Amino acid sequence: MRAGNQAFQKQANLALVMDTIRQHRLVSRVEISRILGLKKSTVGNIIGDLLEIGLVEQREEGRSGSAGGRRPVYLAINASRAGVLGLEIELGYFRAAFRNLAGELLWSETREIETDEFPRMFSSILKKLEPRISREGIPLSGIGVGLPGSVDLEKGIILRSIPHKLHNYDYYSEICAESPVPVFFENDTNCGAWGELWNNPGNDINLVYLLTRFHFHNLRSIEKPGVGVGLVINGQVYYGDGYRAGEFGSNHWSEPGTEFLDMSRNELLSITSDPALMKKFLTNLLRKLSVTLSLLDPRQVMLGGDIRLYRDLVPAVLDNLRDDSWFGNQQHRIAFSSAGEHEISAGAAALVLNRLYRVPQLGQRDQKVRISWENLFDQLSDSL
């Protein structure tokens, strides 16, 4: 085996071991070896390194077998060894969520912020959160950022964000290169999908995450109520060739002939105050989405964003769709996101953790912004 392949295999084994410990919460070395099909010596060497750096810890001993012998020692993730920050940045406010290494949500908050040029606004947000992060006493090891727009994760470019007036913005050079920890930018809807994927891990899961924003604070100055669709296919968020999968509807709904979801401009501006118009909006939205759902046949459709504020209307909306080709007999697959108003920021943090725990694969598209256990080893070694 070539040296390059040996290094790759070592990284893959390390990720496999960490993810196995995370998913089982308490697991012995022998069980890890059996689950992964790795030699006991290989697992032992990896665990030795993890214990030394403090990423895992020995929790308790189990019972010895019927023949006696040494009792197994169970291992767990040392959740307080590192943490990740998730952000949702909108016009006039941001939401933040902080997860530890085990993915537990430690805190979340929402704050107003002055709209500014994007790099300064991002820097200002981090300064506001520094005291809160420091009080937690957990080293920050990565940041995920969700925002409305399309993002090229490979090149580190925000292709377009209408609310933030960004076009082909090189966030890798402007922000990531100056940060002491990896910073991942992502479409806000996809962040919601990453959050649901973290809560429902599996290589075979297919789900659709629907994010609806009504922009209560500036509906009359923004282009339209925001609707995005996040697609998870076989346990992976699907981006499309141009990182634009999930784009939904027209960006010019105020122009004659381009009304959004067969609703006039005045109707759209009044939906948040008129239940009948909101019901019409949701009915038209789900009916338009029905074709996509029929093609994909997902296990779950998660409703996220401001739609949760109108969940009492959803049963009547679904009743309107009882003769629809998909909604007619699949209503049991529809659920609301469990993360509440912080679903995007919590999902942005989950994005970072998903990238940390995933097993690297040969042929995978190279990305400028990376996070790995080797990077974390280097960071945490400085604190020992």
Side-chain angles (χ1 to χ4, degrees):
M1 182 183 292
R2 292 179 300 176
N5 288 341
Q6 289 177 339
F8 171 83
Q9 191 61 56
K10 182 179 179 181
Q11 294 174 23
N13 288 343
L14 177 57
L16 283 167
V17 169
M18 285 297 293
D19 197 42
T20 301
I21 298 173
R22 175 184 73 87
Q23 291 196 42
H24 288 78
R25 298 191 179 183
L26 284 175
V27 62
S28 70
R29 292 169 176 82
V30 173
E31 289 172 326
I32 295 172
S33 177
R34 177 182 55 80
I35 292 168
L36 298 178
L38 295 175
K39 294 180 180 179
K40 292 181 181 179
S41 59
T42 299
V43 172
N45 291 334
I46 292 173
I47 295 300
D49 292 339
L50 292 171
L51 287 170
E52 182 179 356
I53 203 70
L55 286 171
V56 300
E57 56 188 0
Q58 298 182 154
R59 286 285 180 87
E60 59 186 55
E61 293 183 344
R63 296 180 179 178
S64 58
S66 57
R70 181 180 298 176
R71 294 187 296 176
V73 176
Y74 288 98
L75 304 161
I77 298 293
N78 183 0
S80 63
R81 194 68 177 101
V84 295
L85 175 68
L87 297 173
E88 177 190 10
I89 302 179
E90 281 278 2
L91 293 181
Y93 71 93
F94 71 89
R95 292 189 174 101
F98 194 82
R99 292 181 183 264
N100 62 21
L101 198 57
E104 298 165 328
L105 186 62
L106 301 184
W107 55 263
S108 58
E109 63 178 68
T110 302
R111 295 196 198 183
E112 294 183 355
I113 189 171
E114 292 292 328
T115 301
D116 200 345
E117 290 187 13
F118 197 77
R120 288 202 295 265
M121 187 162 61
F122 178 76
S123 177
S124 176
I125 289 172
L126 293 186
K127 286 183 179 179
K128 289 177 180 292
L129 293 174
E130 276 180 3
R132 184 77 186 265
I133 296 172
S134 296
R135 286 198 302 271
E136 202 62 50
I138 298 177
L140 178 65
S141 296
I143 302 172
V145 185
L147 77 170
S150 51
V151 181
D152 186 329
L153 298 172
E154 181 179 0
K155 297 179 180 178
I157 294 174
I158 298 173
L159 299 171
R160 190 184 189 195
S161 176
I162 294 176
H164 292 296
K165 297 180 172 59
L166 298 174
H167 180 68
N168 288 332
Y169 175 70
D170 185 356
Y171 69 80
Y172 175 76
S173 299
E174 293 288 333
I175 292 177
C176 300
E178 302 297 324
S179 174
V181 299
V183 182
F184 297 87
F185 281 80
E186 173 65 291
N187 167 266
D188 53 0
T189 305
N190 286 339
C191 284
W194 279 112
E196 297 301 332
L197 190 56
W198 179 262
N199 295 331
N200 301 277
N203 295 327
D204 61 342
I205 187 170
N206 299 298
L207 66 84
V208 171
Y209 174 82
L210 180 66
L211 177 68
T212 306
R213 291 286 191 222
F214 297 120
H215 304 291
F216 300 107
H217 58 299
N218 59 358
L219 181 58
R220 292 186 176 273
S221 63
I222 207 163
E223 76 280 5
K224 70 177 190 311
V227 178
V229 179
L231 306 175
V232 175
I233 301 176
N234 293 332
Q236 295 292 325
V237 174
Y238 179 74
Y239 292 98
D241 285 345
Y243 290 96
R244 290 181 172 85
E247 293 292 327
F248 196 94
S250 168
N251 286 323
H252 306 286
W253 58 270
S254 61
E255 298 178 9
T258 62
E259 290 80 1
F260 188 56
L261 295 174
D262 298 321
M263 298 184 72
S264 69
R265 181 178 190 275
N266 287 336
E267 285 181 318
L268 288 168
L269 291 173
S270 303
I271 56 175
T272 58
S273 59
D274 188 331
L277 290 177
M278 180 61 71
K279 184 177 177 181
K280 178 181 177 181
F281 176 88
L282 296 176
T283 301
N284 291 352
L285 172 62
L286 295 181
R287 180 172 286 125
K288 187 171 184 179
L289 188 63
S290 175
V291 175
T292 300
L293 297 177
S294 296
L295 289 171
L296 295 178
D297 191 29
R299 180 189 305 176
Q300 194 90 62
V301 176
M302 306 301 299
L303 304 181
D306 298 330
I307 196 172
R308 72 183 183 281
L309 302 175
Y310 304 93
R311 61 192 308 155
D312 291 344
L313 297 177
V314 171
V317 169
L318 294 177
D319 188 58
N320 287 342
L321 298 170
R322 62 184 178 276
D323 296 326
D324 181 87
S325 59
W326 192 85
F327 285 98
N329 57 7
Q330 301 296 338
Q331 296 185 13
H332 62 283
R333 300 192 192 185
I334 301 169
F336 284 89
S337 173
S338 60
E341 68 175 18
H342 293 281
E343 60 200 309
I344 304 305
S345 54
L351 158 69
V352 181
L353 291 173
N354 270 292
R355 291 187 174 276
L356 178 61
Y357 279 96
R358 73 179 181 179
V359 178
Q361 298 184 12
L362 291 172
Q364 185 172 282
R365 287 196 287 187
D366 190 24
Q367 295 180 355
K368 289 185 175 181
V369 186
R370 305 176 189 174
I371 187 170
S372 68
W373 295 110
E374 288 76 18
N375 298 145
L376 207 54
F377 269 46
D378 293 339
Q379 178 192 356
L380 298 179
S381 295
D382 297 335
S383 63
L384 292 178

